[in-house]
Amino acid sequence: MLDGQNKQRILVVTSVAAERDAVLQGLGADERFTVIVGGVGPAMAAAGTARALAESRYDLVICAGICGGFVGRAEVGSIAVASEIVCADLGAETPDGFCSVDELGFGSARVPVPGELAKQVERAMQSAGLPVGRGPILTLSTVTGTAETAQALADRMPEALAEAMEGYGVAVAAQAAGVPVLEIRTVSNAIGPRNKAAWRIKDALESLQKASAVLREVL
């Protein structure tokens, strides 16, 4: 739990209004939290987060929303708590495969999260009876849509639980402002071929609401 919880200010960044509304329903009237729609994709998420951090002081930033989960790692309906936030497509394509920006020596595609705080959140959700896992959550500007791409990404990121489009943008803005960051996602679909008939967005939003109610208690 954050020290001096009654005085903490927490910024929650979602990508779309439906996610924002689910988070707000879970948080209730807790005035410590400010929930905004940052936009879709890492660039808009970074800009929205940076603007909010410039306008007000916050002690923690959380990227929250729904996501795709890797089969066998984060099943549909479950919650993913990031142990690390990774931009999985920031780098270069080479004849030998993908080369990350870290390997190229041009910065880092990885933003760390406060490890103990992420563990506390995971344990609290487990205690609430929610299906939850903790591991890297990937950010991609183009989400995965084929079995081949999904397998290649899973092989390259063997510990990753899920993918979405905003976490890294939120994280680098928070990092630049010197504010710790978490990412919490609920799984609406399996990563792989796009099959909208199998997506469970309503269920994922309901899970996001439940996860947000736990955040109110643990932070």
Side-chain angles (χ1 to χ4, degrees):
M1 182 174 291
L2 294 173
D3 293 335
Q5 64 176 29
N6 292 332
K7 297 180 181 179
Q8 298 295 325
R9 297 196 65 206
I10 302 166
L11 175 66
V12 182
V13 184
T14 65
S15 60
V16 296
E19 295 170 334
R20 176 201 60 199
D21 294 346
V23 171
L24 286 171
Q25 289 170 9
L27 293 175
D30 195 322
E31 295 181 352
R32 295 173 299 150
F33 293 85
T34 298
V35 186
I36 66 170
V37 175
V40 176
M44 289 190 68
T49 304
R51 182 172 59 249
L53 291 173
E55 292 172 347
S56 299
R57 179 191 63 82
Y58 292 97
D59 303 288
L60 177 68
V61 176
I62 302 173
C63 180
I66 64 176
C67 67
F70 284 101
V71 175
R73 303 182 193 174
E75 300 305 325
V76 174
S78 68
I79 300 163
V81 177
S83 62
E84 185 180 29
I85 300 169
V86 184
C87 189
D89 55 3
L90 184 59
E93 186 178 17
T94 78
D96 298 321
F98 180 80
C99 185
S100 73
V101 71
D102 302 71
E103 295 169 305
L104 293 170
F106 298 143
S108 181
R110 299 173 178 270
V111 177
V113 305
E116 284 304 314
L117 187 57
K119 290 177 184 177
Q120 288 177 21
V121 170
E122 180 190 25
R123 287 194 295 264
M125 293 192 183
Q126 289 172 339
S127 296
L130 301 177
V132 60
R134 183 167 47 88
I137 296 180
L138 308 182
T139 299
L140 296 99
S141 294
T142 302
V143 294
T144 305
T146 68
E148 293 77 14
T149 303
Q151 188 59 57
L153 191 59
D155 291 343
R156 182 159 61 85
M157 300 285 185
E159 297 181 353
L161 295 182
E163 69 169 27
M165 300 179 72
E166 294 79 30
Y168 183 77
V170 173
V172 293
Q175 187 179 54
V179 182
V181 62
L182 296 174
E183 184 171 9
I184 299 166
R185 296 278 180 176
T186 55
V187 181
S188 62
N189 57 279
I191 295 172
R194 291 178 64 80
N195 177 14
K196 289 188 176 182
W199 291 1
R200 287 168 45 192
I201 293 177
K202 181 175 182 293
D203 292 342
L205 291 172
E206 290 176 356
S207 294
L208 185 60
Q209 178 180 339
K210 293 176 182 176
S212 299
V214 173
L215 286 180
R216 186 180 58 197
E217 301 300 325
V218 72
L219 296 179

